Amino acid sequence: MIDATALSEKPVLAGARIRLAPLSIRHATAFHAAALDPETRRLTGCHHEFTLEEVQQWCAGSADRADRLDLAIEDRETGRYLGDLALMAIDPDNAHGTLRILLVPGETGRGLGTEAIRLLLEYAFDRVRLHRVQLEVFTFNERARRTYERCGFEVEGRMRQALFWGGEWHDVWVMGVVSNGGS
């Protein structure tokens, strides 16, 4: 049985170099800039170009969403926005959810995503008491797949031609990790 109240608590989770803090309106401008970056859009498969107003509304309302957890990734020393991640699509009956992460341009390749994912997984398994967390990653994003594998995710399947981007169809890997290393 999961503890759904853990999703509405909106914790601050501290790591060695980063902290995960509740996503709020103060993150909206940096979040919006990242969402407009062409490479970020490609890696997330986002066709919609969000306006600043849409992002502000989303960020401002995240504290009120009791069915998901949206956290900003911040530099632990400066508080600078480095990206965000979410634990969403929670299935309480089957104790699983979906993870999504975005790092701002220029912040990849330094292990920040790995640190953020590990912090969130610890919270998801220990506090929310999920049994399984899953995600989707495009097959052209090898760097992300390797990061997810370092965090314990395994490729469980492939959705063929699930993304149309740049005039081509791309496959998507479905990856998952279960608590306590179970299978």
Side-chain angles (χ1 to χ4, degrees):
M1 176 71 84
I2 73 165
D3 183 353
T5 64
L7 297 171
S8 58
E9 287 176 358
K10 311 306 183 205
V12 173
L13 308 173
R17 297 176 298 154
I18 63 166
R19 92 176 140 247
L20 304 181
L23 188 67
S24 70
I25 190 69
R26 70 185 174 93
H27 302 110
T29 301
F31 185 112
H32 181 248
L36 291 179
D37 176 72
E39 182 65 0
T40 299
R41 290 169 46 92
R42 183 179 79 88
L43 293 175
T44 60
C46 184
H47 292 282
H48 180 75
E49 287 192 31
F50 291 96
T51 66
L52 179 57
E53 182 180 349
E54 287 174 312
V55 172
Q56 288 171 331
Q57 288 175 357
W58 175 258
C59 291
S62 71
D64 299 327
R65 293 184 196 98
D67 63 338
R68 60 182 287 147
L69 184 59
D70 292 281
L71 299 172
I73 304 168
E74 299 176 340
D75 182 282
R76 189 169 172 160
E77 298 298 318
T78 66
R80 186 170 57 88
Y81 175 84
L82 304 172
D84 73 280
L85 73 172
L87 185 61
M88 57 194 190
I90 305 298
D91 178 343
D93 295 324
N94 295 302
H96 68 77
T98 299
L99 178 130
R100 178 198 63 70
I101 185 169
L102 173 147
L103 289 175
V104 300
E107 296 298 339
T108 59
R110 300 187 313 138
L112 301 175
T114 300
E115 187 175 348
I117 291 167
R118 287 180 175 157
L119 285 169
L120 186 64
L121 287 177
E122 181 179 337
Y123 190 81
F125 292 140
D126 296 345
R127 179 65 185 91
V128 183
R129 295 196 303 259
L130 292 180
H131 177 68
R132 180 177 191 283
V133 175
Q134 66 188 34
L135 58 82
E136 296 176 2
V137 61
F138 304 117
T139 54
F140 56 73
N141 195 349
E142 280 287 330
R143 180 173 54 203
R145 183 188 54 80
R146 288 190 305 272
T147 296
Y148 301 140
E149 287 174 341
R150 279 193 295 277
C151 294
F153 286 86
E154 296 180 25
V155 174
E156 298 176 336
R158 177 186 295 250
M159 295 187 297
R160 295 179 307 127
Q161 299 182 12
L163 172 72
F164 189 72
W165 197 270
E168 297 179 38
W169 287 104
H170 302 277
D171 292 356
V172 176
W173 285 308
V174 176
M175 301 182 76
V177 60
V178 293
S179 66
N180 300 321
S183 56

